[in-house]
Amino acid sequence: MRRSLGVQVFVSYLIVLIVGLVVLSAALDFLGPRHVARRMEGSGSRFGGPPATNVERLFRTGVADALVVAGIAAIMAAGALSMYVTRRIVLPVQALAAASQRLAAGHHDERVPVQSTDELGALADSFNTMAEALEQTETRRRALLADVAHELRTPLSGIKGYMDGLSDGVLEAGPETFARVAVEVDRLQRLVTDLEELSRLDAGVLLLIPQAVPVGRIVEAAVERLRPQADDQGLVIAVAVPEALPPVSVDPDRIQQVLQNLIGNAIQYTPSPGRIAVSARSEGSRVRIDVEDTGVGIAAEHLAHVFERFYRVDRSRARSGGGSGLGLTIARYLVEAHGGDIRAASPGPGRGSTFSFTLPSAG
Ligand code: ADP
């Protein structure tokens, strides 16, 4: 159970007050009258009985003595309690301040002990959660830098190889060599474009302009853009979107981008002759879109990872195919930004894959 610090502080002062009052009343009860009586006896022997003003003065000094005793007791109690409160409040706060300075200096493994169940304990807990999140961000940032460096190296060493070949005279300065250089440059350009897109999505600056759009329209637009590429590779694209399907509430450009990515992948990973089927159906308050291919398929152990940044099932093949390895990561961001989810399924290598995502129906 959480014990409020406010209550603890209040109780500590209440204790000081009660101790003061108890000692004061005990002192008044026991010391005061005895003191007055003793003084009265002494003065009575000299003056034959005290006049009223003397009684008053004597009582006042008695009360003053009692207050001194009560004051000392209260100060002692306050001292003990303040030591306790200091230990409970100030020390953990100092520890937190020191830990946050070390954290700011880059020691992301910094944590503080959670010693109580009150607000200070909750603060220490929040600090640790924040430090954990910072550490994870830092680890991701380092991994991203390493990944990007790695991804840049492949096309750059390709270009360097061609340049060396050209200057050594091993390669001919003809259209074929230039075309190969252009392929590597295209790959670099795609990587940079996708990285820019990903960093925009990561920064949360994605501006979605949702509107009610018929699913068929988005699917047709995406398919039409990629049909020439599929025809070139001897692949058939079939579309099955029922007329009666409710419209979806999405930013059409962004969902077309997702579809182009999935259909583009299907084209890339399906050898000829092959077939790609794009279909849609209603699922409760959502619409589900499937992109199914008869391509190389994905082994079960890779399925959960294909949406991760730069994850490739077959590293050498995917690189030579020219993908940035970011397409599915971007697609997942976009689908999730619309409140949907995206999944990959495959019966296994060589048996095709299906990528499915859901979108909210309009209205
Ligand atoms: P890439 O640019 O490499 O295609 P993606 O993020 O689009 O990057 O895809 C990640 C990986 O998922 C690919 O490298 C590939 O191994 C696998 N993949 C994606 N789509 C398919 C598919 N339709 N069939 C088989 N494998 C796929």
Side-chain angles (χ1 to χ4, degrees), residues 288-357:
R288 174 177 155 164
I289 302 178
D290 290 332
V291 178
E292 191 180 351
D293 64 53
T294 56
V296 298
I298 303 168
E301 70 265 27
H302 296 296
L303 276 177
H305 300 289
V306 290
F307 295 99
E308 288 168 14
R309 196 183 60 206
F310 296 127
Y311 191 88
R312 291 169 175 121
V313 175
D314 179 345
R315 299 218 135 223
S316 52
R317 179 174 17 201
R319 277 231 185 76
S320 65
S324 70
L326 295 172
L328 287 179
T329 314
I330 293 173
R332 190 187 58 190
Y333 260 103
L334 291 174
V335 168
E336 287 177 356
H338 282 86
D341 57 72
I342 186 165
R343 279 183 295 247
S346 171
R351 299 169 63 195
S353 324
T354 305
F355 283 81
S356 317
F357 64 99

Side-chain angles (χ1 to χ4, degrees), residues 103-144:
L103 189 71
H107 300 277
H108 293 105
D109 55 348
E110 194 66 44
R111 302 289 183 275
V112 288
V114 181
Q115 283 166 332
S116 57
T117 52
D118 53 25
E119 285 91 337
L120 281 174
L123 186 62
D125 211 29
S126 308
F127 177 89
N128 288 342
T129 310
M130 180 191 71
E132 179 81 37
L134 271 177
E135 192 175 16
Q136 279 175 12
T137 308
E138 182 60 17
T139 310
R140 276 204 301 273
R141 191 185 64 83
R142 286 209 192 109
L144 176 66

Side-chain angles (χ1 to χ4, degrees), residues 96-334:
L96 263 172
S100 48
Q101 272 170 10
R102 282 194 295 272
L103 189 71
H107 300 277
H108 293 105
D109 55 348
E110 194 66 44
R111 302 289 183 275
V112 288
V114 181
Q115 283 166 332
S116 57
T117 52
D118 53 25
E119 285 91 337
L120 281 174
L123 186 62
D125 211 29
S126 308
F127 177 89
N128 288 342
T129 310
M130 180 191 71
E132 179 81 37
L134 271 177
E135 192 175 16
Q136 279 175 12
T137 308
E138 182 60 17
T139 310
R140 276 204 301 273
R141 191 185 64 83
R142 286 209 192 109
L144 176 66
L145 267 183
D147 283 348
V148 170
H150 185 74
E151 295 295 325
L152 287 173
R153 192 173 299 124
T154 315
L156 281 176
S157 21
I159 294 170
K160 183 165 179 353
Y162 293 126
M163 299 316 280
D164 288 349
L166 279 170
S167 56
D168 295 350
V170 178
L171 287 176
E172 207 180 301
E176 201 186 310
T177 311
F178 294 143
R180 283 199 221 155
V181 174
V183 166
E184 300 297 346
V185 172
D186 279 351
R187 193 168 301 171
L188 274 177
Q189 217 157 31
R190 229 181 349 257
L191 176 63
V192 172
T193 310
D194 282 355
L195 275 172
E196 269 175 352
E197 173 85 348
L198 200 60
S199 92
R200 264 198 304 272
L201 295 174
D202 243 346
V205 291
L206 174 67
L207 180 66
L208 290 178
I209 307 170
Q211 45 184 282
V213 204
V215 181
R217 208 165 77 202
I218 313 179
V219 171
E220 279 303 332
V223 168
E224 284 325 306
R225 282 198 71 163
L226 291 166
R227 205 182 281 283
Q229 203 180 320
D231 290 346
D232 282 353
Q233 296 195 21
L235 302 171
V236 175
I237 304 188
V239 176
V241 179
E243 284 280 327
L245 213 57
V248 282
S249 169
V250 299
D251 185 322
D253 291 343
R254 293 317 208 153
I255 295 307
Q256 189 178 327
Q257 186 183 347
V258 172
L259 267 167
Q260 276 172 213
N261 184 280
L262 298 183
I263 301 169
N265 275 351
I267 294 173
Q268 188 177 348
Y269 297 104
T270 304
S272 173
R275 188 184 137 89
I276 296 160
V278 186
S279 57
R281 67 182 125 116
S282 197
E283 246 184 29
S285 61
R286 301 175 163 268
V287 168
R288 174 177 155 164
I289 302 178
D290 290 332
V291 178
E292 191 180 351
D293 64 53
T294 56
V296 298
I298 303 168
E301 70 265 27
H302 296 296
L303 276 177
H305 300 289
V306 290
F307 295 99
E308 288 168 14
R309 196 183 60 206
F310 296 127
Y311 191 88
R312 291 169 175 121
V313 175
D314 179 345
R315 299 218 135 223
S316 52
R317 179 174 17 201
R319 277 231 185 76
S320 65
S324 70
L326 295 172
L328 287 179
T329 314
I330 293 173
R332 190 187 58 190
Y333 260 103
L334 291 174

Side-chain angles (χ1 to χ4, degrees), residues 43-64:
S43 42
S45 61
R46 245 182 284 153
F47 304 111
T53 49
N54 276 353
V55 172
E56 229 178 86
R57 207 183 61 233
L58 289 172
F59 185 76
R60 236 185 271 125
T61 53
V63 168

